[in-house]
Amino acid sequence: MKNASNNSYRHQDNRIITLGDIDEENSNDVIQFIHEINYLDAGKAEKKREPITLIVNSYGGDIYRGFGVVDAIIDSATPVHTVCYGAALSMGFIIMASGHKRSASKHSTFMYHEILWSLNDEKLSSHMREVEEGKRIMAIYDSIILKHTNLTKEQLDIVKKEHKDWYMSADEALAYGIIDEVC
């Protein structure tokens, strides 16, 4: 079944769903799909559950919606295997790293960077609240990456200090524990 957003595709019989750029519609589709499969698997022992495959080819997207996908993956009793074909950039990076089993095609690219946060033309007090929220979200983002990979806080801090995007090949992602295998 193809969704109207053209960013996700799901095939429940095979427990496969794809994720493109993270927006409201496709993040909700992925979260719903994971919950539906867990509902169908209710009563089965975790070791007897056939995994869900989440194929990721994403330039990233909305951080709050991405956190919803990450939480659905982490909380899923049915294993969620993340597979990157193409790109796992920005929010796609953290979603890939959250899978119970993670793999990538040999030509896949991964990218970590500081979160993007825009402020509207508002009063100074509004900007100060937004800056605090940005700091809170950045801390959550990094904590998930640190928990699910071999990357260090020092490595992430260097990227943020230098205001750069850190691109990695599939082999580098494997070495940093972002994925478990290159296929």
Side-chain angles (χ1 to χ4, degrees), residues 44-50 76-79:
K44 289 183 185 177
E46 286 186 36
K47 293 184 179 199
K48 300 256 184 202
R49 294 177 183 218
E50 184 183 336
S76 179
T78 299

Side-chain angles (χ1 to χ4, degrees), residues 31-130:
I31 293 167
Q32 179 180 345
F33 185 76
I34 291 170
H35 281 277
E36 286 174 0
I37 297 296
N38 274 272
Y39 178 79
L40 291 172
D41 286 352
K44 289 183 185 177
E46 286 186 36
K47 293 184 179 199
K48 300 256 184 202
R49 294 177 183 218
E50 184 183 336
I52 298 164
T53 300
L54 174 59
I55 299 171
V56 176
N57 186 12
S58 176
Y59 288 160
D62 186 282
I63 195 162
Y64 294 109
R65 298 184 197 296
F67 282 165
V69 174
V70 168
D71 287 344
I73 292 168
I74 292 170
D75 294 343
S76 179
T78 299
V80 178
H81 295 184
T82 52
V83 181
C84 180
Y85 283 101
L89 312 180
S90 191
M91 199 65 209
F93 177 94
I94 192 172
I95 290 170
M96 267 302 303
S98 299
H100 298 107
K101 181 180 177 190
R102 306 150 314 165
S103 60
S105 63
K106 62 184 173 183
H107 298 115
S108 293
T109 299
F110 295 78
M111 189 269 290
Y112 167 85
H113 64 176
E114 185 173 28
I115 64 169
L116 301 176
W117 201 260
S118 62
L119 300 174
N120 296 324
D121 293 329
E122 296 182 22
K123 295 179 181 173
L124 179 59
S125 59
S126 296
H127 286 289
M128 291 169 56
R129 281 192 302 276
E130 288 296 316

Side-chain angles (χ1 to χ4, degrees), residues 101-163:
K101 181 180 177 190
R102 306 150 314 165
S103 60
S105 63
K106 62 184 173 183
H107 298 115
S108 293
T109 299
F110 295 78
M111 189 269 290
Y112 167 85
H113 64 176
E114 185 173 28
I115 64 169
L116 301 176
W117 201 260
S118 62
L119 300 174
N120 296 324
D121 293 329
E122 296 182 22
K123 295 179 181 173
L124 179 59
S125 59
S126 296
H127 286 289
M128 291 169 56
R129 281 192 302 276
E130 288 296 316
V131 167
E132 288 307 310
E133 177 63 0
K135 289 178 183 177
R136 183 183 79 83
I137 294 301
M138 189 76 241
I140 293 169
Y141 188 86
D142 282 354
S143 71
I144 294 168
I145 291 170
L146 294 171
K147 181 177 180 181
H148 293 276
T149 72
N150 298 331
L151 294 169
T152 66
K153 183 178 181 325
E154 294 75 22
Q155 289 170 310
L156 301 182
D157 287 345
I158 289 169
V159 173
K160 290 182 286 205
K161 181 180 178 183
E162 295 177 358
H163 305 285

